[in-house]
C-alpha cells in the first residue's frame, strides 16, 4: 500500500540539533539585552541564520540597516589554540557573505556549547584585513 519501506524508525534529535538551537538562543539573548531584534531566517540553507534589526537606545525607533549572522556550534572548541577553527564553512558561503549579502555587515558566530560562550568575526572586515591585505 505504501510506496516506501516502513521500518518504524523515528526521527531522532541529535546533539548537533540541540547545540544549533542553543547557539541561536545565545545570540538572540545577546541581541535582546541591547534592545535590538533578532529574526531567524526562514530558509537557513541560503547562507545565513538570522538578521538583526537595530533600534535607537534613546527613542526606541528603528534605525537604518541590518546585520546578518551565520551560526556555527560545537562542543569541542579548543580555546587554548592560537586560532580556533570554525567547522564546516564552504567557499560559496564566504563568497555570498562577502559579495552578495546586500553589502550588509555579516557576522560569523562560533558558539561553544560546553562553555556557553560565543566568538564572532565580522566576515567582510576579516577578509579585507587579513586575507587580502
Amino acid at each position: 500500500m505504501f510506496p516506501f519501506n516502513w521500518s518504524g524508525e523515528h526521527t531522532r534529535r541529535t546533539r548537533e540539533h540541540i547545540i544549533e538551537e542553543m547557539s541561536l538562543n545565545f545570540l538572540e539573548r545577546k541581541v535582546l539585552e541591547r534592545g535590538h531584534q533578532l529574526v531567524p531566517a526562514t530558509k537557513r540553507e541560503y547562507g545565513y541564520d538570522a538578521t538583526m534589526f537595530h533600534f535607537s537606545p534613546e527613542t526606541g525607533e528603528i534605525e537604518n540597516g541590518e546585520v546578518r549572522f551565520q551560526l556555527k556550534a560545537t562542543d569541542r572548541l579548543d580555546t587554548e589554540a592560537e586560532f580556533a577553527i570554525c567547522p564546516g564553512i564552504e567557499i560559496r558561503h564566504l563568497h555570498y557573505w562577502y559579495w552578495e549579502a546586500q553589502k550588509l555587515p555579516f557576522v560569523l558566530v562560533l558558539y561553544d556549547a560546553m562553555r556557553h560562550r560565543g566568538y564572532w568575526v565580522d566576515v567582510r572586515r576579516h577578509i579585507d584585513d587579513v586575507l587580502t591585505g
Side-chain angles (χ1 to χ4, degrees):
M1 172 175 250
F2 292 107
F4 54 86
N5 182 9
W6 177 256
S7 67
E9 210 173 292
H10 295 276
T11 302
R12 300 188 187 278
R13 183 162 169 80
T14 66
R15 177 67 180 162
E16 288 77 21
H17 293 140
I18 293 167
I19 66 175
E20 177 183 327
E21 289 186 28
M22 288 172 63
S23 70
L24 184 60
N25 177 267
F26 173 84
L27 179 61
E28 186 172 33
R29 290 182 59 84
K30 295 298 181 189
V31 167
L32 288 170
E33 287 170 357
R34 286 159 183 80
H36 306 308
Q37 179 186 33
L38 191 72
V39 178
T42 56
K43 301 261 184 188
R44 292 174 50 192
E45 67 271 10
Y46 291 118
Y48 66 95
D49 294 321
T51 302
M52 181 183 78
F53 298 95
H54 33 106
F55 296 82
S56 167
E58 293 83 26
T59 66
E61 294 174 329
I62 193 164
E63 298 178 334
N64 290 335
E66 54 193 61
V67 179
R68 296 266 170 92
F69 293 91
Q70 170 69 41
L71 299 162
K72 296 290 181 181
T74 185
D75 276 327
R76 297 169 295 282
L77 183 64
D78 182 5
T79 57
E80 300 299 318
E82 184 177 352
F83 298 100
I85 304 301
C86 188
I89 297 177
E90 298 179 30
I91 295 297
R92 66 186 173 110
H93 287 148
L94 281 175
H95 184 272
Y96 173 77
W97 300 338
Y98 187 82
W99 293 107
E100 299 174 30
Q102 303 173 5
K103 297 300 181 193
L104 299 171
F106 202 101
V107 177
L108 175 63
V109 178
L110 178 58
Y111 175 69
D112 181 346
M114 296 304 285
R115 294 180 183 91
H116 192 59
R117 289 191 180 150
Y119 303 89
W120 65 274
V121 63
D122 178 329
V123 172
R124 218 174 252 111
R125 181 175 293 164
H126 181 74
I127 289 172
D128 286 343
D129 293 349
V130 175
L131 301 179
T132 62

